[in-house]
């Protein structure tokens, strides 16, 4: 009798264990890129100049390998190869961005480029023919230079210009594109750009520009979302979100929990609370601190611009899902005298009195800004769920950069494996509604200040070859296998050279491992 019970509970446990390695039905996998980083063809036909074009032409000395993105992956010509690469991985979707200046050469919607429209039509139709869902990001940092000359994201009119651009893109492609990201990573666009002044438009103004940008991005996103809601939703039934770069903050020791929470509200809440919370507006604690510290610095009003009641209403609820870009985490403690001011990324808002620390034990791929901490992904999803409810969460980026151009990228395989494992914990243990995962990035591309030295690709790209040949790495094979089985795969070294034999073996290993754990658990619970 007892033996029967033991065996049946063992089987049950094994079933649960295997179930927990499965992605739920309907879970979607994809990969992402952005226009400036892959397209090249910066000056073909009537394409206008973007701030990225201007920056890399004027400042090659600031790029690690003095390179520019005038050709990049040449995706403007090689879009068929890109579609093939996505198809070879068996992905459900491909997330790419439209270049504002390719569609609207002047930045304004009075002129639309025929060639630009053709390019994206070809890409979208080519993907759909292969049964791959296109997901479009409207803005991935390549602002028209002309709009920058008018103040760019610090000018409140940017919200109207963005809305007009969005209107054109929805009108052109909305019949075929059902999932949208309005703006990619405002934390990088506003905080990183204006706090450091290192990326285009190379303006360092952490006191003011950062917060003007924060507010105007939120208004621009909301206007685009409301426009879609009014004008397109009833016929196209698409879903829209802004893609927030979320960072998880763990307290350095339990007594720094208040500091960690302040860091979360400042870095994540500042961009999420106005949209996703019931009451809207800035997180109270951030509003209050910013007012206090602005006063201390002699400003008559808060540097974090207030929302009017109408703006609060406009922004609140302007979402259909929550797009999460997750790469890294930080430890937090109270700042000590002499600490370098540290708000993600690097400098800025030193008045919050926080110090961010990168745990030296987190692997980093040789650069120092995005060390890997997989548990942070589960923690931030739980935090968002607790703050804003069990939204429809979608991982719109996750990926690993290193300076290794080889194909045996087992460190990247490990990174994806560990993060996917946390996604499964979020789904099965925390009951968070996570519906998709996007690998950054489909292929090596122009990685901003690092040029072509820092690589994130599932595919290796040979930038010395005029054909810009794409070759799948071990991580590409790992992702393809995961997508095919819809199950968390245990990474196996050298799987891409001896795939058949190894595939079978790794599955057996998983099953045996699961069974072993089950038996151990049962023996432990029954006898001890
Ligand atoms: C476009 O830029 C390339 C350099 O990337 C240059 O060789 C070419 O002449 C330019 N074409 C036009 C039409 O300006
Ligand atoms: C998760 O979100 C999707 C998309 O909105 C929805 O269709 C599904 O019903 C949700 N699932 C749960 C368990 O809430």
């Amino acid at each position: 009798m007892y033996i029967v019970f033991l065996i049946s509970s063992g089987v049950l446990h094994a079933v649960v264990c295997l179930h927990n390695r499965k992605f739920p039905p309907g879970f979607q996998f994809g990969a992402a890129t952005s226009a400036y980083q892959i397209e090249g063809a910066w000056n073909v036909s009537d394409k206008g100049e973007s701030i990225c074009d201007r920056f890399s032409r004027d400042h090659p000395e600031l790029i690690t390998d003095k390179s520019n993105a005038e050709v990049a992956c040449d995706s403007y010509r090689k879009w068929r190869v890109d579609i093939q690469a996505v198809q070879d991985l068996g992905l459900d979707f491909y997330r790419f961005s439209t270049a504002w200046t390719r569609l609207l050469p002047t930045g304004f919607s009075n002129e639309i480029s025929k060639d630009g429209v053709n390019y994206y039509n070809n890409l979208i139709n080519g993907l759909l023919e292969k049964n791959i869902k296109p997901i479009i990001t409207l803005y991935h940092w390549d602002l028209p230079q002309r709009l920058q000359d008018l103040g760019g994201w610090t000018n409140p009119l940017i919200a109207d210009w963005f809305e007009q651009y969005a209107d054109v893109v929805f009108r052109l492609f909305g019949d075929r594109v059902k999932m949208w990201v309005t703006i990619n990573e405002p934390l990088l666009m506003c905080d990183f750009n204006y706090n450091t002044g290192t990326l285009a438009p190379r303006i360092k103004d952490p006191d003011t520009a950062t917060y003007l940008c924060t507010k105007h991005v939120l208004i621009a996103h909301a206007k685009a979302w409301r426009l879609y809601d009014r004008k397109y939703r009833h016929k196209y039934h698409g879903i829209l979100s802004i893609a927030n770069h979320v960072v998880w903050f763990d307290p350095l020791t339990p007594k720094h929990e208040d500091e960690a929470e302040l860091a979360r509200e400042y870095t994540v809440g500042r961009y999420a609370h106005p949209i996703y919370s019931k009451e809207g507006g800035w997180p109270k604690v951030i509003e209050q601190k910013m007012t206090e510290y602005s006063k201390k610095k002699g400003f008559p009003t808060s540097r974090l611009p207030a929302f009017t009641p109408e703006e609060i209403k406009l922004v609140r609820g302007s979402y259909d899902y929550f797009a999460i870009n997750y790469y890294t985490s930080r430890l937090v403690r109270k700042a000590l005298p002499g600490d370098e001011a540290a708000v993600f990324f690097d400098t800025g808002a030193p008045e919050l009195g926080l110090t961010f620390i990168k745990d030296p034990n987190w692997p980093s791929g040789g650069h120092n800004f995005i060390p890997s901490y997989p548990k942070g992904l589960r923690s931030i999803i739980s935090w968002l769920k607790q703050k804003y409810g069990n939204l429809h969460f979608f991982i719109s980026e996750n990926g690993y950069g290193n300076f290794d151009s080889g194909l045996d990228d087992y460190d990247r395989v490990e990174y994806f494996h560990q993060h996917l494992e946390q996604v499964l914990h979020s789904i099965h243990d925390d009951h968070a509604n996570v519906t998709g995962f996007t690998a950054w990035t489909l292929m090596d591309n122009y990685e901003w200040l690092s040029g072509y030295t820092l690589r994130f690709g599932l595919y290796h790209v040979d930038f010395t070859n005029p054909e810009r040949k794409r070759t799948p790495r071990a991580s590409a094979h790992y992702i393809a296998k995961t997508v095919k089985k819809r199950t968390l795969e245990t990474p196996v070294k050298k799987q891409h050279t001896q795939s058949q034999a190894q595939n079978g073996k790794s599955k057996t290993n998983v099953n045996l491992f699961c069974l072993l754990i089950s038996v151990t658990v049962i023996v432990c619970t029954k006898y001890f």
Side-chain angles (χ1 to χ4, degrees):
M1 191 59 205
Y2 193 65
I3 289 292
V4 171
F5 174 74
L6 209 67
I7 290 172
S8 54
S9 50
V11 167
L12 189 69
H13 200 271
V15 166
V16 168
C17 185
L18 285 173
H19 168 74
N20 284 350
R21 301 181 72 87
K22 274 207 121 19
F23 292 92
F27 191 90
Q28 306 267 291
F29 289 93
T33 58
S34 89
Y36 182 68
Q37 293 176 276
I38 64 163
E39 285 179 5
W42 69 292
N43 59 356
V44 298
S45 61
D46 52 351
K47 182 180 171 296
E49 187 189 26
S50 77
I51 56 172
C52 302
D53 298 326
R54 172 78 60 97
F55 172 63
S56 69
R57 193 194 63 216
D58 289 357
H59 293 288
E61 79 283 0
L62 297 174
I63 313 297
T64 308
D65 54 3
K66 317 265 186 293
S67 64
N68 59 52
E70 287 175 3
V71 179
C73 303
D74 204 16
S75 288
Y76 185 70
R77 293 183 182 81
K78 305 214 163 301
W79 53 271
R80 286 185 190 83
V81 184
D82 291 348
I83 294 171
Q84 191 60 49
V86 176
Q87 195 193 11
D88 288 346
L89 300 183
L91 298 176
D92 303 301
F93 65 85
Y94 176 45
R95 176 183 166 218
F96 60 93
S97 77
T98 45
W100 191 330
T101 52
R102 197 177 293 292
L103 286 169
L104 308 183
T106 66
F108 293 97
S109 61
N110 61 321
E111 266 176 53
I112 300 174
S113 163
K114 275 209 175 70
D115 287 352
V117 175
N118 279 342
Y119 173 63
Y120 294 114
N121 268 335
N122 284 336
L123 181 57
I124 291 165
N125 295 341
L127 288 165
L128 289 171
E129 268 167 32
K130 308 278 186 186
N131 226 358
I132 301 159
K133 270 200 324 196
I135 299 179
I136 287 187
T137 308
L138 292 170
Y139 184 77
H140 202 122
W141 308 358
D142 44 356
L143 191 72
Q145 181 64 43
R146 181 160 170 217
L147 303 189
Q148 182 58 51
D149 294 341
L150 300 173
W153 289 100
T154 63
N155 183 340
L157 292 175
I158 190 76
D160 297 324
W161 303 333
F162 180 74
E163 182 189 15
Q164 289 155 15
Y165 161 58
D167 193 10
V168 172
V169 187
F170 295 149
R171 191 168 73 228
L172 288 169
F173 310 123
D175 57 335
R176 287 153 289 154
V177 177
K178 303 298 169 188
M179 193 160 178
W180 300 85
V181 170
T182 52
I183 296 170
N184 188 66
E185 296 191 346
L187 182 70
L188 278 281
M189 279 166 58
C190 300
D191 292 48
F192 179 68
N193 280 1
Y194 289 115
N195 288 348
T196 67
T198 51
L199 269 180
R202 281 185 62 67
I203 294 169
K204 182 168 176 171
D205 187 344
D207 266 357
T208 310
T210 303
Y211 301 108
L212 291 175
C213 178
T214 304
K215 177 175 171 183
H216 301 154
V217 156
L218 289 164
I219 303 274
H221 155 79
K223 285 198 166 182
W225 188 89
R226 302 244 167 245
L227 171 84
Y228 188 91
D229 209 40
R230 269 198 320 274
K231 202 167 156 184
Y232 298 101
R233 189 184 296 284
H234 64 281
K235 48 182 175 178
Y236 294 153
H237 311 288
I239 57 174
L240 282 73
S241 172
I242 190 169
N244 275 318
H245 184 112
V246 299
V247 184
W248 174 247
F249 295 94
D250 258 339
L252 180 66
T253 72
K255 71 175 201 282
H256 295 109
E257 178 51 33
D258 287 351
E259 283 81 8
E261 187 61 14
L262 183 59
R264 292 168 205 146
E265 288 288 16
Y266 181 77
T267 308
V268 181
R270 180 157 44 99
Y271 290 100
H273 192 274
I275 298 176
Y276 301 96
S277 69
K278 296 233 168 1
E279 62 276 23
W282 304 119
K284 281 283 161 292
V285 58
I286 298 305
E287 193 165 50
Q288 178 201 328
K289 294 253 181 223
M290 289 302 299
T291 304
E292 199 178 298
Y293 292 126
S294 300
K295 212 171 265 175
K296 248 189 221 166
K297 276 197 168 180
F299 292 97
T301 55
S302 177
R303 292 170 297 135
L304 184 68
F307 285 115
T308 65
E310 293 73 32
E311 287 170 338
I312 289 181
K313 242 180 92 191
L314 171 78
V315 177
R316 188 182 60 207
S318 61
Y319 69 87
D320 302 298
Y321 68 102
F322 195 119
I324 293 176
N325 289 7
Y326 175 80
Y327 289 88
T328 191
S329 295
R330 292 289 186 271
L331 302 173
V332 191
R333 65 162 162 72
K334 207 190 272 294
L336 301 172
D339 273 357
E340 211 176 308
V343 160
F344 202 79
F345 281 96
D346 301 319
T347 55
E351 55 271 65
L352 289 179
L354 306 174
T355 291
F356 294 169
I357 297 163
K358 293 165 214 156
D359 190 319
N361 298 317
W362 298 344
S364 74
H367 54 76
N368 61 8
F369 59 97
I370 44 176
S372 165
Y373 184 59
K375 281 189 182 149
L377 177 55
R378 178 179 177 184
S379 301
I380 190 72
I381 293 172
S382 281
W383 188 83
L384 293 169
K385 179 170 176 260
Q386 179 230 319
K387 290 267 161 184
Y388 311 124
N390 197 5
L391 307 173
H392 167 188
F393 294 108
F394 184 86
I395 315 286
S396 39
E397 281 182 32
N398 175 244
Y400 181 80
N402 64 17
F403 295 101
D404 184 350
S405 64
L407 299 179
D408 294 337
D409 58 340
Y410 300 114
D411 48 353
R412 185 170 293 107
V413 171
E414 197 55 42
Y415 182 96
F416 281 128
H417 175 74
Q418 290 174 354
H419 284 79
L420 285 168
E421 191 167 40
Q422 296 301 321
V423 170
L424 286 174
H425 280 307
S426 288
I427 294 171
H428 295 301
D429 301 328
D430 305 338
H431 309 290
N433 191 11
V434 187
T435 65
F437 179 88
T438 315
W440 181 271
T441 172
L442 179 65
M443 57 193 159
D444 294 340
N445 55 44
Y446 186 73
E447 184 51 43
W448 312 107
L449 293 169
S450 304
Y452 300 105
T453 61
L454 181 56
R455 293 173 181 251
F456 281 81
L458 296 173
Y459 284 81
H460 167 268
V461 176
D462 182 357
F463 293 104
T464 63
N465 180 333
E467 290 301 311
R468 297 296 192 273
K469 191 169 165 9
R470 288 91 159 118
T471 311
R473 293 199 166 101
S475 57
H477 295 283
Y478 172 77
I479 291 288
K481 205 163 99 182
T482 304
V483 176
K484 190 157 178 230
K485 307 223 163 135
R486 307 278 157 175
T487 297
L488 186 70
E489 288 295 315
T490 305
V492 182
K493 286 208 167 189
K494 295 287 175 217
Q495 64 191 10
H496 68 296
T497 49
Q498 316 158 15
S499 49
Q500 274 335 80
Q502 292 286 357
N503 281 356
K505 202 163 139 204
S506 84
K507 191 173 168 197
T508 319
N509 285 347
V510 173
N511 292 352
L512 276 179
F513 179 71
C514 253
L515 205 63
L516 194 68
I517 296 270
S518 309
V519 169
T520 313
V521 166
I522 284 150
V523 168
C524 289
T525 47
K526 300 301 169 220
Y527 293 102
F528 301 102

